[in-house]
Amino acid sequence: QVQLVESGGGLVEPGGSLRLSCAASGRIRSIYVMGWYRQAPGKERELVALMTFGGNTDYVDSVKGRFTLSGDNAKKTVSLQMNNLQPEDSAVYYCHSRAKWAIEAPVQHTWGQGTQVTVSS
């Protein structure tokens, strides 16, 4: 089993910045994807930023130019730097990973417990 531990989040005024971090642990042979989704009240969960290790990083259009995802495959960590935050960015942010514990094993999709980000004056 993979465990994801999140940190960061909180309350910030519009235009402010926050940084979210996530670390994966457990029985992991290879980790392929890590990133963040978010879910606001009454809305579906949406992708915010997702990194394919050794490949691309994808962002939802609404955060391009404001959010930056960085990651370390060896350390199994990702961090999301969020700048110029706006009220519409308020949501619960969930770390997500896709990993295998063995070559022959299926890809395991794992979610963190979620961390609240609130942007308000």
Side-chain angles (χ1 to χ4, degrees):
Q1 289 286 350
V2 177
Q3 295 84 40
L4 299 176
V5 177
E6 303 158 337
S7 61
L11 173 64
V12 65
E13 294 185 349
S17 298
L18 285 174
R19 186 177 183 87
L20 305 181
S21 295
C22 178
S25 63
R27 194 177 181 188
I28 301 172
R29 185 186 188 279
S30 300
I31 191 161
Y32 302 98
V33 171
M34 287 189 76
W36 293 88
Y37 287 68
R38 66 186 179 188
Q39 188 167 17
K43 295 188 176 181
E44 293 187 354
R45 189 172 297 188
E46 68 169 353
L47 181 149
V48 177
L50 204 63
M51 173 180 290
T52 300
F53 288 114
N56 297 328
T57 300
D58 296 315
Y59 297 91
V60 66
D61 286 346
S62 61
V63 309
K64 287 180 180 178
R66 301 187 297 123
F67 291 12
T68 301
L69 184 67
S70 58
D72 187 322
N73 194 353
K75 295 181 179 179
K76 302 181 183 63
T77 60
V78 288
S79 293
L80 182 67
Q81 178 65 41
M82 304 184 293
N83 297 328
N84 191 22
L85 283 159
Q86 300 300 316
E88 53 267 31
D89 295 315
S90 297
V92 177
Y93 283 67
Y94 296 92
C95 184
H96 175 66
S97 73
R98 301 171 196 171
K100 285 189 174 185
W101 63 270
I103 294 177
E104 68 277 10
V107 175
Q108 182 176 357
H109 293 235
T110 304
W111 294 93
Q113 77 280 6
T115 184
Q116 179 70 47
V117 171
T118 302
V119 186
S120 176
S121 55

